[in-house]
Amino acid sequence: MKDAALTESLPREKKSVKLKSFNAKVALKALLPIVAFFIVWELFGRLNQNFAWFNPVFLPPPTLVVADGYALAQTGMLTSSIISSTLRIIVGFSIGVMAAIAMGVVMVRFKFVETWIAPIINLVGPIPALALLPLFIIWFGIGEFPKVLLIAWSTFIPVLVYTLDGLKSVNSTLVRSALSLGASQKQIFTRVIIPAAIPSILVGVEVSLGLSFSALVVSEMMGAESGLGYIIVDARNYFKISNMFVAIVLIGLEYSLFAYLLRKFKNRILFWRKGGAHAAIEK
């Protein structure tokens, strides 16, 4: 019996080792282009300092950016700006996602709501965040509320579009199967339609993440006293190009972190969903 149990456990152990090695390879492939990018940037920046193809101040090498970022962190400005930007993006993004999903459910559930709301969304949806920010500042002042509201609005539109698409494109076979089993309309909506729409909703959440970061930077570049966008404006005013690159790189890194966490959450929620060549071919 012990030998049988041991032989059964061996394939699982081999599989776990393969998964760990596969995850390591995926992580290496994801990091390699980023490392190569910074190496090329460093080499080009150093060569430009020696040969002066253009003003070296305009494109400092990454090592100089890191040194200036460390000096900026010593003043406390960098830390407070990262915290402020992170809190704004978390609150605004969460509000936008929850409001969009709730609105999408209501619009699909009640047709008269969609009849009245959809044309308005189509009218104001394409307006960029930069055009709305001055109005938000005039209406709500220069505090945190207009910044969070702008991020929430930039998140709201794409999530709403993908939510509506997901709720309306549920496979009719699932609905008929539920009806044949005696499910009520409420049960069909809550246990069939909404779960089937989750993949599409999560795609909308991923798409809106980049737009929410754009809205964050725009809102912090006008009427803010802290934040990564504020550092960019402050660096522009005092011609501190290295500080500008510090904020730009941190925005990219923070977005990459949020996108990674969102993908991990999506994979955990949609663990049952497999497709593509990797799932079709077993190695």
Side-chain angles (χ1 to χ4, degrees), residues 67-134:
D68 289 345
Y70 178 77
L72 191 63
Q74 298 302 307
T75 65
M77 180 180 178
L78 189 62
T79 305
S80 62
S81 295
I82 292 174
I83 294 173
S84 298
S85 296
T86 303
L87 290 176
R88 287 168 186 152
I89 197 70
I90 290 175
V91 175
F93 185 72
S94 301
I95 292 174
V97 169
M98 291 186 293
I101 294 175
M103 178 61 72
V105 170
V106 172
M107 289 175 68
V108 171
R109 189 70 174 167
F110 305 101
K111 293 299 181 183
F112 73 92
V113 176
E114 183 179 8
T115 302
W116 284 95
I117 298 297
I120 300 174
I121 296 296
N122 293 332
L123 178 65
V124 301
I127 301 174
L130 184 60
L132 294 175
L133 181 60

Side-chain angles (χ1 to χ4, degrees), residues 191-246:
R191 298 188 180 184
V192 178
I193 296 178
I194 291 181
I198 287 178
S200 181
I201 295 172
L202 292 178
V203 171
V205 173
E206 287 184 308
V207 171
S208 66
L209 183 62
L211 297 175
S212 63
F213 267 86
S214 299
L216 169 70
V217 176
V218 167
S219 65
E220 290 180 342
M221 292 177 72
M222 294 179 64
E225 296 181 355
S226 65
L228 296 175
Y230 169 76
I231 292 179
I232 294 175
V233 174
D234 183 73
R236 180 201 64 187
N237 294 337
Y238 296 98
F239 204 70
K240 298 178 180 179
I241 305 299
S242 294
N243 289 357
M244 193 179 298
F245 275 99
V246 169

Side-chain angles (χ1 to χ4, degrees), residues 11-82:
R12 294 181 182 179
E13 292 177 358
K14 290 181 179 180
K15 189 175 181 181
S16 64
V17 171
K18 287 183 178 180
L19 286 174
K20 289 180 180 178
S21 62
F22 176 76
N23 291 333
K25 289 180 181 179
V26 170
L28 183 61
K29 287 181 180 180
L31 290 175
L32 190 60
I34 298 176
V35 173
F37 170 77
F38 281 105
I39 291 174
V40 172
W41 179 7
E42 178 71 24
L43 292 175
F44 183 80
R46 293 299 177 182
L47 289 173
N48 183 50
Q49 286 181 340
N50 293 330
F51 296 101
W53 296 319
F54 56 88
N55 192 338
V57 177
F58 294 160
L59 186 63
T63 50
L64 182 58
V65 173
V66 171
D68 289 345
Y70 178 77
L72 191 63
Q74 298 302 307
T75 65
M77 180 180 178
L78 189 62
T79 305
S80 62
S81 295
I82 292 174

Side-chain angles (χ1 to χ4, degrees), residues 116-165:
W116 284 95
I117 298 297
I120 300 174
I121 296 296
N122 293 332
L123 178 65
V124 301
I127 301 174
L130 184 60
L132 294 175
L133 181 60
L135 282 176
F136 284 5
I137 292 176
I138 293 172
W139 290 344
F140 307 112
I142 58 173
E144 293 298 315
F145 182 72
K147 299 177 182 60
V148 172
L149 183 62
L150 190 70
I151 296 169
W153 173 254
S154 300
T155 305
F156 176 83
I157 297 298
V159 176
L160 177 61
V161 171
Y162 278 90
T163 300
L164 290 173
D165 178 72

